[in-house]
């Protein structure tokens, strides 16, 4: 099956610092990746759609200058949380769309294991 | 009103029970309906997906979609302790991959 990895799995940082999270599709090419945020006992909330070679599309209410997304290759997307604050503490999950998987009408999305960010 | 509503539970059942998990939604444009399982501190994994209305069965799992009622269900037969996890429903209106998730239902299957 398709595998998506995330690095780091958890990070603790001081308020005001920036944190970069990597999302990689290990055995397939992903022209589209998604970034989600999940608070404890809450659902996954889509933050942005990352397309290889173009600017990310952000969901309403998500600050694009705070959450920088770079999809530089077909297997790597990065999310940088700039000037992190305690309220940014959350579980960040990426997913990658495998257009070679599934049917013509449905493309399966594979999720990474998540990154737990704690901002002190 | 949220686009997708799901009772967070928790739901506790004895081993071997039939489990019924449900979601309701408001957006009639949704055509793709998924169920994901998420273990603690892990990413979601796809269990089943259904296109439009109807039933789909895979082993002990059955997914049902009733678009007229905007209601989807996941049934787990002969539940096992290893089924203990959070189950998330998710929906999509098109083939873009953009998913809208329910809150997730926490299930505990007791031996």
């Amino acid at each position: 099956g398709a595998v998506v990895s995330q690095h780091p799995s958890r990070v603790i940082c001081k308020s005001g610092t920036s944190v970069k999270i990597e999302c990689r599709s290990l055995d397939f090419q992903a022209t589209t990746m998604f970034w989600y945020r999940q608070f404890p006992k809450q659902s996954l909330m889509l933050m942005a759609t990352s397309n290889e070679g173009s600017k990310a599309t952000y969901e309403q209410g998500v600050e694009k200058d705070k959450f920088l997304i770079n999809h530089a290759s077909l297997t790597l997307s990065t999310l940088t949380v700039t000037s992190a604050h305690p309220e940014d503490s959350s579980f960040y999950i990426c997913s990658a769309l495998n257009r070679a998987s599934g049917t013509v009408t449905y493309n399966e999305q594979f999720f990474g294991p998540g990154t737990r960010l704690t901002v002190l | 009103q949220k686009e997708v509503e799901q009772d967070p539970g928790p739901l506790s059942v004895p081993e071997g029970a039939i489990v019924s998990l449900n979601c309701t939604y408001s957006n009639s444009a949704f055509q793709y309906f998924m169920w994901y399982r998420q273990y603690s501190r892990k990413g979601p994994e796809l269990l089943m997906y259904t296109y439009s209305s109807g039933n789909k069965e895979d082993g002990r799992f059955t997914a049902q979609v009733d678009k007229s009622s905007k209601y989807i269900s996941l049934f787990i037969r002969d539940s096992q302790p290893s089924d203990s996890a959070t189950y998330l429903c998710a929906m999509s209106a098109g083939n873009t991959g953009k998913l809208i998730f329910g809150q997730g239902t926490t299930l505990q299957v007791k031996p």
Side-chain angles (χ1 to χ4, degrees):
Chain A
V3 179
V4 176
S5 69
Q6 275 185 248
H7 178 79
S9 58
R10 62 187 311 160
V11 56
I12 301 173
C13 68
K14 293 182 179 179
S15 185
T17 60
S18 293
V19 175
K20 180 186 282 189
I21 302 171
E22 292 186 349
C23 177
R24 293 182 185 271
S25 57
L26 298 184
D27 49 3
F28 66 99
Q29 293 183 332
T31 55
T32 303
M33 291 184 173
F34 301 90
W35 286 97
Y36 296 84
R37 181 165 53 182
Q38 187 177 33
F39 291 108
K41 299 192 182 299
Q42 299 286 322
S43 183
L44 278 76
M45 297 300 295
L46 179 64
M47 298 175 66
T49 302
S50 171
N51 293 299
E52 186 267 338
S54 64
K55 291 183 179 180
T57 302
Y58 290 82
E59 294 300 302
Q60 191 173 8
V62 178
E63 299 177 58
K64 62 179 181 180
D65 294 330
K66 181 168 184 62
F67 299 99
L68 302 178
I69 292 172
N70 187 341
H71 195 153
S73 77
L74 289 172
T75 59
L76 173 65
S77 176
T78 60
L79 168 68
T80 301
V81 183
T82 62
S83 186
H85 291 283
E87 58 265 30
D88 297 323
S89 299
S90 188
F91 193 50
Y92 292 86
I93 305 176
C94 72
S95 70
L97 201 58
N98 185 0
R99 297 198 184 275
S101 173
T103 67
V104 173
T105 55
Y106 172 71
N107 300 130
E108 188 166 351
Q109 196 172 140
F110 295 89
F111 285 82
T115 296
R116 172 107 20 222
L117 170 63
T118 302
V119 184
L120 303 177
Chain B
Q1 182 188 7
K2 294 180 181 178
E3 278 193 287
V4 180
E5 298 275 3
Q6 184 176 8
D7 186 339
L11 181 62
S12 182
V13 301
E15 183 175 356
I18 297 175
V19 176
S20 173
L21 305 167
N22 311 292
C23 288
T24 59
Y25 63 95
S26 57
N27 189 345
S28 58
F30 288 144
Q31 297 185 73
Y32 302 93
F33 305 90
M34 278 69 72
W35 285 96
Y36 287 85
R37 178 173 61 196
Q38 185 179 26
Y39 292 110
S40 182
R41 301 173 186 264
K42 301 290 185 183
E45 57 176 325
L46 180 67
L47 282 175
M48 301 187 71
Y49 91 90
T50 308
Y51 172 70
S52 193
S53 285
N55 296 355
K56 191 170 186 178
E57 187 173 321
D58 184 2
R60 296 185 294 113
F61 299 89
T62 300
Q64 290 185 349
V65 174
D66 182 349
K67 290 191 71 178
S68 62
S69 302
K70 297 189 177 67
Y71 187 88
I72 71 170
S73 301
L74 177 71
F75 297 95
I76 307 174
R77 291 183 299 280
D78 188 24
S79 57
Q80 303 295 310
S82 58
D83 294 328
S84 299
T86 296
Y87 290 80
L88 299 145
C89 63
M91 305 176 191
S92 175
N95 199 23
T96 61
K98 183 175 174 179
L99 298 177
I100 307 299
F101 281 86
Q103 188 175 349
T105 300
T106 300
L107 170 67
Q108 184 180 24
V109 181
K110 295 184 176 179

